[in-house]
Amino acid sequence: MTTPPMTLKRPIVARRSSGFTLLELLVVMVIIGMLAGFVAPKFFAQIGKSETKTARAQIDALEKALDQYRLDLGHYPTSEQGLSALNERPAAEAKWSGPYLKKGVPLDPWQHAYVYKFPGEHGEYDLLSYGKDGQPGGTGEAEDIVSW
């Protein structure tokens, strides 16, 4: 007895077009939105911290330049001369041997000028940045960064 040849029958399956359904796309977008909601605040907080660290480093560099100026001339620049005396010879300063900074006086990370006062209220001079808001006082990123 011979067995009849077996025919392989495949079940008929409806072909699905390749692509994503609207529901799948919405689920992915919600997941991406949730991840961005968790990551973005931490990312922007780090930017604020790095700007504050940059301001502290710039104040430290300006302090060193001011100390070198004082060593050469015997006094710090006046408030009227300001920090520009570190790069440009003030009138009637024969002992000036600057420039004391490689580049010009930098702006703080928020694009405000550093505040320099001589004589200072907290030391021989006061050197500070008013922070992100550019106003005295403040907290967080708007907190003043000072040399004392």
Side-chain angles (χ1 to χ4, degrees), residues 28-65:
V28 169
M29 289 175 60
V30 167
I31 291 170
I32 290 172
M34 288 173 55
L35 289 172
F38 290 124
V39 172
K42 293 183 182 202
F43 174 74
F44 289 116
Q46 291 301 321
I47 290 175
K49 287 179 186 177
S50 68
E51 288 172 334
T52 300
K53 287 180 182 178
T54 299
R56 289 190 196 285
Q58 286 177 335
I59 285 176
D60 184 54
L62 290 170
E63 285 180 309
K64 290 176 181 168

Side-chain angles (χ1 to χ4, degrees), residues 2-135:
T2 62
T3 58
M6 294 182 71
T7 59
L8 298 175
K9 290 188 178 183
R10 294 186 184 173
I12 299 174
V13 178
R15 286 190 130 196
R16 190 173 155 189
S17 64
S18 61
F20 299 104
T21 65
L22 181 60
L23 181 61
E24 291 170 330
L25 290 174
L26 288 174
V27 168
V28 169
M29 289 175 60
V30 167
I31 291 170
I32 290 172
M34 288 173 55
L35 289 172
F38 290 124
V39 172
K42 293 183 182 202
F43 174 74
F44 289 116
Q46 291 301 321
I47 290 175
K49 287 179 186 177
S50 68
E51 288 172 334
T52 300
K53 287 180 182 178
T54 299
R56 289 190 196 285
Q58 286 177 335
I59 285 176
D60 184 54
L62 290 170
E63 285 180 309
K64 290 176 181 168
L66 285 165
D67 289 341
Q68 186 64 44
Y69 181 98
R70 181 176 181 226
L71 284 172
D72 289 347
L73 293 145
H75 60 83
Y76 290 109
T78 64
S79 293
E80 293 77 30
Q81 292 170 329
L83 295 174
S84 63
L86 297 173
N87 279 348
E88 300 169 10
R89 179 188 301 271
E93 293 289 0
K95 294 181 182 177
W96 190 86
S97 61
Y100 298 95
L101 295 171
K102 289 183 180 180
K103 298 179 181 178
V105 177
L107 296 175
D108 70 11
W110 304 279
Q111 301 307 305
H112 303 115
Y114 284 99
V115 177
Y116 172 74
K117 297 176 189 172
F118 179 80
E121 298 172 12
H122 303 279
E124 290 189 76
Y125 61 86
D126 292 347
L127 182 59
L128 63 131
S129 165
Y130 287 131
K132 186 173 187 173
D133 64 353
Q135 303 295 321

